Amino acid sequence: MTSFHTHRALVLDTALPVHRRHSALRTCLTGFAPYGLRATYHHLTLSARMPRRLEADPQSLVRAVEELHEARQLWLARAERYAAQRRAEKRDGRRAATPVWWNQPRWTSPNDAWRHDPFLHPALSLPDYVRRQNALLDGATLPGCPACGEEGPAVEVSTGHDRAELCRTCARVLVPCPCGRRHSFRPELRVDWGRTWRREHTTDDGEPRPHWPEHLGTARIERLVRYDGPHPGC
């Protein structure tokens, strides 16, 4: 597998056709995607103001990959520190690893809704999200939702037999169902990945397209349903 840096260079190469550079951005996301591949891509289309017609603003690809690169650099630095910490702990006979935000099993992640619905993820820039997660890992006490910092009231979503409390902004599970089982949540009607990949949610100016999809934000979270079946890939 070629490296993140190789494909980042392709995205930055203005001599290449815009569709080739766009494809290279997707390959970068297979190597690093803090919100999951689809949700991270959706985030970048909005933060970089990526239009439906990429030819209208090819520089948006540069903005997208550079945001991703900055976040990845912050993660790599923290991951190196963590690796050194683990080596020291093993030398001292401590085999149990400290959980880290970038290596949590998806089926137990409180952020699983982002994987099922790319329209649900923090509004933070990727570097700011990584900084926040690194700070929490280092023991900082931060207000609000651990993922996005939202301090408003949670949204209660039915689990069929009780209720879980989700962040009203990013759908992170803040209070799981009292039954003790980790439930996943997803929309009743999923947006086809192809439509997201083609950026049908943005206009020709790179702005969010009004009225599609119909429900966004808290209204979208309120319509999530419990999902306890197999856990498909990101």
Side-chain angles (χ1 to χ4, degrees):
M1 180 182 294
T2 51
S3 71
F4 179 95
H5 292 294
T6 298
H7 283 87
R8 173 176 170 248
L10 294 177
V11 178
L12 299 176
D13 188 349
T14 58
L16 291 176
V18 69
H19 71 273
R20 178 69 182 87
R21 298 169 64 192
H22 183 227
S23 179
L25 174 63
R26 178 173 60 179
T27 304
C28 288
L29 288 168
T30 63
F32 180 68
Y35 298 155
L37 189 149
R38 298 180 185 185
T40 303
Y41 174 77
H42 175 265
H43 164 81
L44 290 174
T45 64
L46 299 180
S47 66
R49 302 185 306 282
M50 198 180 297
R52 295 183 69 178
R53 289 185 60 257
L54 289 173
E55 294 81 1
D57 186 9
Q59 190 66 17
S60 64
L61 295 172
V62 175
R63 294 192 292 269
V65 80
E66 292 302 79
E67 178 181 341
L68 186 66
H69 172 65
E70 181 183 351
R72 184 174 180 270
Q73 292 297 104
L74 292 168
W75 163 66
L76 285 174
R78 186 61 184 85
E80 288 178 3
R81 287 173 48 206
Y82 176 76
Q85 173 189 333
R86 285 296 298 134
R87 288 192 294 268
E89 289 174 347
K90 289 179 180 179
R91 286 194 297 269
D92 293 339
R94 289 178 289 172
R95 309 301 296 181
T98 302
V100 291
W101 61 268
W102 63 82
N103 196 29
Q104 188 170 18
R106 288 180 298 193
W107 53 89
T108 62
S109 172
N111 306 326
D112 191 59
W114 308 347
R115 184 164 56 89
H116 294 297
D117 188 344
F119 291 82
L120 299 178
H121 55 75
L124 297 174
S125 72
L126 298 181
D128 283 347
Y129 174 76
V130 172
R131 290 188 187 97
R132 183 175 182 84
Q133 298 313 300
N134 286 345
L136 290 170
L137 182 60
D138 290 336
T141 301
L142 302 178
C145 169
C148 69
E150 170 63 47
E151 298 184 56
V155 174
E156 292 190 348
V157 177
S158 173
T159 60
H161 50 274
D162 214 304
R163 306 186 77 79
E165 295 183 18
L166 277 57
C167 173
R168 65 185 302 102
T169 298
C170 74
R172 178 187 172 101
V173 177
L174 301 177
V175 180
C177 179
C179 75
R181 182 175 180 181
R182 176 70 70 180
H183 300 296
S184 296
F185 297 92
R186 69 176 183 179
E188 288 185 287
L189 298 176
R190 303 180 69 176
V191 175
D192 180 71
W193 165 234
R195 302 188 72 180
T196 307
W197 174 244
R198 293 190 297 271
R199 298 166 308 288
E200 293 187 19
H201 54 277
T202 64
T203 67
D204 288 339
D205 296 325
E207 298 297 325
R209 177 180 164 189
H211 314 306
W212 192 87
E214 181 179 3
H215 302 294
L216 288 173
T218 301
R220 193 170 184 85
I221 295 169
E222 290 171 344
R223 289 166 172 79
L224 290 174
V225 295
R226 190 192 77 192
Y227 174 63
D228 290 334
H231 293 266
C234 173

